[in-house]
């Protein structure tokens, strides 16, 4: 039985154990790298964005009509001789299947891979009822023998080594198995499972598709067990979620075009099986198989009626959101999630398995957006995860103390900025006049010492603006500079570098003094009301009608303002919505402004900038989908760009995430710095002050070379 920690302390203890498992880390790392390559190759030459859009559109068209599609499916299926059942809850589904087994005198059950059956804990229920149940997917069989749940939706036993499997098979067979003889162990599994297929009275499967206009179900597998389970036993039961209903075969084939490619990098899976009604079966009393389909609700129909969370039902169970998740890559599925792992699991767990199982794991998200970028159904997974967390806080009616403090401070810009100014004075005993805090305050545990922290600047950028602000009599562009908290109060030198870079380019740069935090920290902590209040403060400070662009040096601020500002307003206030959308549309990052708007040329910069390694901030390369511009800007400014491994993988900052989960943040930072340092570059460049904080702090702890890390605006300014 799967168990999930219900407290952060217990959860972090489990994460630490996983981080110390070197085999697990190596296996998941190798798989993540291989998946990235194979997926790119599988989709090569295809209009991937178009395919994602069409799958999302098709799913969204079907979701509001699941009950109608079910009735259509039921009529066709029953006409073909299938018995169709409905189950409101997981327990209902388990009891229906158990009753079918009892009515048919079943004793032995062969079961194919089914995440829906994992969701209902079907095996445990049937075993308690006295039935012998055997998983026939190799990975599922292995973890069943070990008494575990799957660690991945597609590869359930990816966390196990050959040695562990050999020890398991030795115990099962009574004969010593050689861990290096993979072929021999496969033969053992085949021999053991062949007997199961031949002796089973009932076969239980899931389904990837339930086609309404024909009553057919479709299964996508890579082993022959799926076909054996559905054909050899005299009784076949398919357990299917309502979300697997599609109108017709064309809709299913559209999803099938993406499913294997996005799951394993295959153009097509080894077996794609379509079943329309019971077939002949010699072992059945009347010579014909008895076939049942159990449709599971368990919260799906309620989800289908929700204007936001209904998109979770687009999920096609490819598992790719786990494949690309930097946290999953470190600790695996057993530690990252509940039954459904990866980003989709952080959403579905709350609705399918309750808040006790969701409360802790839903916080384990970096908001790096890798899952959103890889989802073949276009689900906005990071947004849904944060909305689940917000819902949990509201339902439980109690907020963490830091949420209360954040709300109080961010809603009052003057108080917020007053506290930041006073923080400079309070930190003096810790900084000793240095730009970094190397000996952390007592309220930080030793686990947070993986990086130094930046000192609050003695003079914020806003206080420098009166003397810095350039006068441009005949501007080509009117630009509002959105500083963000870090540039304004921690790294004002980045703002000064921007002023230097734009000198002589006919850009009238304004720094509106009433601007405040972008509001992303509030959004990430589930405080949408505060995030909306901050939005209104910034909209009051910066009227988008007054400017051609709203320029920021922070990728996180830019991504939040472009993506989340319109969501925070929604359709409740149409007039305000127009202004917010204008604000979002005019927001631009530094590299894009330089390359796509100003179209800077190499002649404007000195030669010989040296070698530059680059870290792509998550909210730049995925949130804003800006990938080309920063690398081109480096080359234009005279640098030799040196590619490094995993440039677009998160550095581990994630705002408050690095405080809640320092062990994860530290390991991600270590890997990032290892890759960057392997390039033997003269400087390390990135586009986000948050990434600068993480990388610079880590470099200082590692070698004292914190000055090697620069924001791209500083690197470019140095070349003028």
């Amino acid at each position: 039985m799967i168990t999930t920690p219900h407290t952060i302390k217990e959860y972090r203890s489990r994460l630490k154990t996983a981080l110390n498992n070197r085999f697990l880390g190596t296996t998941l790392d190798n798989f993540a790298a291989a998946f990235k390559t194979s997926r790119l190759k599988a989709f090569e030459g295809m209009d991937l964005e178009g395919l994602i859009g069409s799958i999302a559109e098709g799913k969204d068209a079907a979701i509001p009509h699941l009950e109608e599609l079910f009735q259509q499916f039921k009529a066709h299926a029953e006409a073909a001789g299938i018995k169709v059942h409905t189950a409101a809850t997981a327990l209902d589904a388990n009891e229906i299947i158990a009753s079918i087994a009892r009515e048919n005198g079943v004793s032995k059950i062969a079961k194919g891979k089914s995440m829906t059956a994992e969701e209902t804990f079907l095996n445990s229920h049937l075993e308690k009822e006295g039935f012998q149940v055997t998983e026939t997917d190799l990975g599922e069989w292995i973890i069943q023998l070990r008494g575990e749940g799957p660690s991945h939706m597609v590869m359930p036993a990816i966390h196990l080594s050959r040695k562990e499997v050999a020890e398991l098979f030795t115990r099962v067979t009574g004969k010593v198995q050689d861990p290096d003889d993979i072929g021999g162990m496969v033969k053992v599994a085949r021999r053991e499972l062949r007997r199961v297929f031949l002796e089973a009275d009932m076969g239980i499967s899931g389904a990837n598709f339930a086609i309404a206009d024909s009553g057919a179900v479709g299964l996508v597998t890579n082993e022959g067990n799926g076909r054996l389970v559905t054909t050899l036993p005299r009784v076949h039961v398919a357990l299917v979620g309502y979300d697997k209903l599609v109108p017709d075969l064309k809709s299913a084939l559209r999803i099938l075009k993406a499913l294997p490619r996005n799951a394993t990098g295959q153009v097509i899976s080894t077996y794609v099986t379509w079943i329309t009604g019971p077939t002949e079966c010699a072992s059945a009393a009347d010579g014909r198989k008895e076939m049942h389909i159990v449709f599971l609700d368990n919260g799906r129909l309620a989800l289908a009626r929700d204007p936001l969370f209904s998109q979770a039902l687009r999920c096609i169970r490819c598992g790719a959101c786990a494949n690309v998740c930097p946290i999953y890559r470190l600790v695996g599925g057993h530690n990252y999630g509940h039954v459904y792992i990866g980003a989709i699991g952080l959403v579905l767990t709350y609705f399918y398995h309750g808040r006790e199982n969701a409360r802790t794991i839903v916080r384990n998200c970096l908001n790096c957006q890798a899952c959103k970028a890889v989802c073949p159904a276009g689900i906005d997974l990071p947004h849904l995860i944060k909305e689940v967390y917000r819902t949990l806080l509201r339902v439980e009616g109690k907020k963490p103390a830091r949420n209360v403090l954040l709300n109080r401070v961010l809603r009052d810009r003057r108080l917020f900025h007053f506290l930041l100014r006073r923080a400079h004075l309070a930190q003096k005993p810790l900084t000793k006049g240095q730009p970094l805090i190397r000996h952390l305050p007592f309220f930080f545990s030793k686990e947070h010492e993986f990086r130094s922290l930046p000192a609050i600047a003695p003079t914020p950028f806003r206080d420098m603006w009166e003397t810095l602000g350039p006068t441009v009599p005949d501007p080509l562009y009117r630009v509002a500079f959105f500083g963000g908290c870090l540039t304004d109060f921690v790294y004002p030198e980045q703002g000064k570098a921007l002023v230097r870079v734009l000198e002589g380019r006919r850009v009238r740069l304004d720094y509106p003094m009433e601007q405040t935090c972008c509001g992303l920290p509030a959004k990430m902590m589930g405080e949408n009301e505060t995030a909306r209040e901050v939005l209104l403060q910034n909209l009051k400070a910066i009227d988008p009608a007054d400017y051609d662009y709203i320029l920021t040096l922070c990728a996180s601020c830019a991504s939040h303002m472009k993506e989340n500002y319109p969501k925070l307003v929604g359709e409740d206030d149409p007039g305000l919505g127009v202004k917010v959308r204008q604000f979002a549309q005019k927001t631009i990052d530094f590299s894009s402004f330089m390359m796509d708007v100003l179209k800077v040329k190499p002649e404007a910069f000195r030669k010989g900038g040296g070698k530059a390694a680059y870290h792509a901030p998550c909210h730049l390369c995925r949130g804003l989908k800006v990938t080309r511009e920063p690398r081109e800007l480096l080359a234009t400014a005279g640098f030799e760009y040196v590619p490094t491994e995993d440039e677009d993988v998160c550095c581990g900052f994630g705002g408050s995430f690095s405080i809640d989960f320092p062990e994860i943040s530290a390991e991600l930072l270590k890997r990032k710095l290892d890759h960057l340092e392997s390039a033997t570059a003269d400087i390390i460049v990135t586009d986000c002050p948050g990434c600068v904080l993480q990388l610079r702090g880590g470099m200082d702890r590692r070698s004292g070379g914190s000055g090697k890390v620069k924001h791209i605006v500083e690197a470019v300014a140095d070349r003028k």
Side-chain angles (χ1 to χ4, degrees):
M1 179 71 77
I2 295 170
T3 59
T4 298
H6 295 166
T7 67
I8 283 289
K9 183 178 180 181
E10 184 186 355
Y11 191 34
R12 286 185 57 197
S13 174
R14 188 177 289 191
L15 294 178
K16 290 174 189 174
T17 300
L19 287 171
N20 290 327
N21 185 335
R22 297 300 176 193
F23 169 80
L24 179 66
T26 301
T27 299
L28 295 176
D29 212 36
N30 291 341
F31 169 71
F35 170 77
K36 185 177 181 180
T37 302
S38 60
R39 179 180 180 271
L40 282 173
K41 187 175 181 181
F43 282 112
E44 196 172 30
M46 293 178 61
D47 177 12
L48 179 55
E49 289 302 313
L51 179 59
I52 291 172
S54 64
I55 290 174
E57 184 180 350
K59 279 283 196 175
D60 286 347
I63 287 169
H65 305 287
L66 291 180
E67 290 172 283
E68 298 165 39
L69 290 173
F70 167 73
Q71 291 300 332
Q72 187 180 356
F73 179 95
K74 183 172 184 288
H76 287 290
E78 289 179 341
I82 301 172
K83 297 178 182 179
V84 180
H85 312 259
T86 58
T89 67
L91 179 59
D92 289 342
N94 292 345
E95 290 185 342
I96 288 170
I97 294 172
S99 68
I100 293 170
R102 285 192 295 270
E103 290 167 6
N104 286 275
V106 168
S107 61
K108 295 182 179 181
I109 299 172
K111 185 168 166 291
K113 180 174 174 51
S114 167
M115 285 305 301
T116 310
E118 297 287 351
E119 176 188 328
T120 69
F121 300 107
L122 176 61
N123 286 7
S124 297
H125 184 92
L126 293 176
E127 287 166 354
K128 286 176 184 176
E129 293 286 320
F131 300 104
Q132 182 180 328
V133 184
T134 305
E135 293 283 353
T136 59
D137 173 271
L138 179 57
E140 291 282 353
W141 183 57
I142 289 170
I143 63 171
Q144 181 189 29
L145 293 174
R146 287 173 57 91
E148 298 175 347
S151 61
H152 190 282
M153 282 193 278
V154 178
M155 295 153 290
I158 192 174
H159 60 292
L160 298 175
S161 67
R162 289 179 296 171
K163 181 180 178 183
E164 289 172 307
V165 174
E167 290 172 352
L168 177 68
F169 282 12
T170 296
R171 177 166 56 83
V172 169
T173 64
K175 297 180 181 178
V176 176
Q177 303 294 323
D178 180 1
D180 294 321
D181 185 7
I182 303 297
M185 287 194 286
V186 170
K187 287 180 180 178
V188 168
R190 186 176 292 127
R191 183 180 66 245
E192 295 293 323
L193 291 175
R194 185 174 293 142
R195 184 169 60 251
V196 171
F197 290 124
L198 294 174
E199 295 177 354
D201 308 297
M202 175 189 281
I204 298 176
S205 73
N208 295 92
F209 312 105
I211 302 173
D213 72 353
S214 66
V217 294
L219 288 84
V220 182
T221 62
N222 268 324
E223 299 176 23
N225 68 304
R227 287 190 178 172
L228 291 171
V229 160
T230 58
T231 55
L232 286 180
R234 55 189 169 85
V235 181
H236 171 212
V237 178
L239 177 59
V240 186
Y242 276 95
D243 51 310
K244 300 300 175 62
L245 282 160
V246 294
D248 46 41
L249 182 60
K250 182 180 178 180
S251 302
L253 293 178
R254 181 170 55 218
I255 295 170
L256 186 60
K257 199 172 183 179
L259 177 55
R261 287 178 167 91
N262 221 55
T264 56
Q266 296 169 277
V267 173
I268 191 69
S269 295
T270 308
Y271 296 90
V272 178
T273 305
W274 306 98
I275 303 172
T276 308
T279 56
E280 293 181 1
C281 181
S283 59
D286 60 355
R288 196 164 186 82
K289 181 184 293 293
E290 184 169 317
M291 185 175 176
H292 299 257
I293 300 178
V294 180
F295 276 88
L296 176 67
D297 180 359
N298 201 31
R300 287 164 171 80
L301 296 179
L303 269 178
R305 290 186 285 272
D306 186 272
L308 174 64
F309 287 109
S310 59
Q311 66 177 288
L313 297 179
R314 293 181 197 164
C315 178
I316 64 173
R317 303 293 190 270
C318 65
C321 58
N323 299 349
V324 299
C325 174
I327 302 169
Y328 179 89
R329 187 170 177 174
L330 295 181
V331 300
H334 285 132
N335 306 290
Y336 183 70
H338 192 62
V339 174
Y340 292 109
I341 49 81
I344 191 64
L346 300 189
V347 178
L348 295 180
T349 296
Y350 176 58
F351 297 107
Y352 293 172
H353 293 108
R355 69 174 186 268
E356 286 294 313
N357 289 308
R359 181 189 295 117
T360 300
I361 64 173
V362 76
R363 294 171 61 181
N364 198 17
C365 171
L366 277 159
N367 191 40
C368 72
Q369 314 239 351
C371 54
K372 179 181 177 181
V374 81
C375 179
I379 306 172
D380 192 349
L381 289 160
H383 181 56
L384 294 190
I385 290 167
K386 296 307 175 185
E387 287 301 300
V388 167
Y389 181 53
R390 184 175 78 93
T391 304
L392 276 166
L393 292 179
R394 292 176 64 193
V395 168
E396 297 196 331
K398 54 183 179 180
K399 293 185 177 182
R402 68 179 182 183
N403 285 48
V404 176
L405 179 62
L406 184 81
N407 288 339
R408 171 70 182 90
V409 171
L410 283 190
R411 285 173 178 264
D412 187 335
R413 182 190 67 80
R414 294 183 184 278
L415 173 63
F416 178 46
H417 290 172
F418 171 81
L419 292 174
L420 285 173
R421 292 175 190 277
R422 288 296 178 267
H424 167 66
L425 299 175
Q427 73 188 0
K428 282 188 174 181
L430 299 170
T431 62
K432 296 181 171 54
Q434 298 298 311
L436 289 167
I437 300 174
R438 295 187 172 93
H439 301 287
L440 302 184
F442 68 91
F443 48 80
F444 283 99
S445 67
K446 288 186 176 180
E447 290 162 322
H448 290 87
E449 293 182 350
F450 63 90
R451 66 179 178 203
S452 302
L453 292 177
I456 302 295
T459 306
F461 180 77
R462 63 180 52 240
D463 290 357
M464 303 175 182
W465 181 250
E466 189 173 345
T467 58
L468 282 176
T471 300
V472 182
D474 184 26
L476 278 176
Y477 302 104
R478 298 170 302 162
V479 175
F481 176 30
F482 185 86
C485 305
L486 285 176
T487 297
D488 196 352
F489 288 91
V490 179
Y491 301 122
E493 63 272 17
Q494 295 174 5
K496 292 168 70 176
L498 175 64
V499 173
R500 294 203 314 274
V501 168
L502 296 183
E503 282 178 359
R505 298 192 182 277
R506 296 178 65 187
V507 175
R508 193 190 84 186
L509 191 67
D510 291 345
Y511 193 83
M513 289 296 163
E514 297 299 306
Q515 65 177 280
T516 185
C517 172
C518 70
L520 180 60
K523 180 74 171 67
M524 293 302 98
M525 293 169 69
E527 301 296 340
N528 284 13
E529 293 77 13
T530 297
R532 180 186 167 99
E533 176 60 34
V534 170
L535 176 163
L536 294 174
Q537 292 178 33
N538 286 322
L539 192 61
K540 179 182 177 182
I542 305 173
D543 188 334
D546 293 338
Y547 299 100
D548 299 304
Y549 295 96
I550 300 168
L551 173 62
T552 180
L553 301 178
C554 180
S556 296
C557 290
S559 178
H560 174 62
M561 293 189 296
K562 287 184 81 70
E563 286 193 280
N564 293 326
Y565 272 18
K567 293 173 185 173
L568 288 168
V569 173
E571 300 178 0
D572 299 336
D573 194 332
L576 181 62
V578 171
K579 270 300 187 193
V580 169
R581 284 190 289 275
Q582 288 175 342
F583 191 104
Q585 288 164 2
K586 290 188 176 183
T587 298
I588 192 169
D589 67 283
F590 171 70
S591 295
S592 296
F593 185 72
M594 293 293 286
M595 297 307 299
D596 298 338
V597 178
L598 297 184
K599 301 186 186 301
V600 293
K601 302 297 181 185
E603 306 85 70
F605 301 96
R606 294 184 290 114
K607 304 295 183 184
K611 293 182 177 180
Y614 178 69
H615 162 63
C618 300
H619 294 142
L620 187 76
C621 65
R622 286 181 289 275
L624 300 177
K625 294 183 171 60
V626 173
T627 56
R628 167 187 56 83
E629 292 84 350
R631 293 168 176 86
E632 287 187 357
L633 180 56
L634 285 174
T636 300
F639 292 100
E640 180 188 345
Y641 159 60
V642 184
T644 58
E645 187 177 346
D646 288 342
E647 282 186 355
D648 60 351
V649 173
C650 187
C651 65
F653 178 51
S656 60
F657 177 90
S658 61
I659 298 174
D660 291 338
F661 300 99
E663 51 284 301
I664 298 291
S665 182
E667 182 60 26
L668 288 172
L669 177 58
K670 175 187 177 299
R671 293 185 178 203
K672 175 61 65 173
L673 292 178
D674 286 346
H675 293 322
L676 290 170
E677 287 197 305
S678 69
T680 62
D682 300 301
I683 62 169
I684 296 169
V685 179
T686 187
D687 293 66
C688 188
C691 297
V692 170
L693 183 156
Q694 180 84 337
L695 299 176
R696 195 174 282 178
M699 284 294 289
D700 183 71
R701 287 290 186 187
R702 177 175 287 207
S703 61
S706 59
K708 191 176 180 179
V709 179
K710 293 182 181 291
H711 191 289
I712 194 168
V713 72
E714 298 174 281
V716 171
D718 289 344
R719 305 311 307 152
K720 277 199 75 176

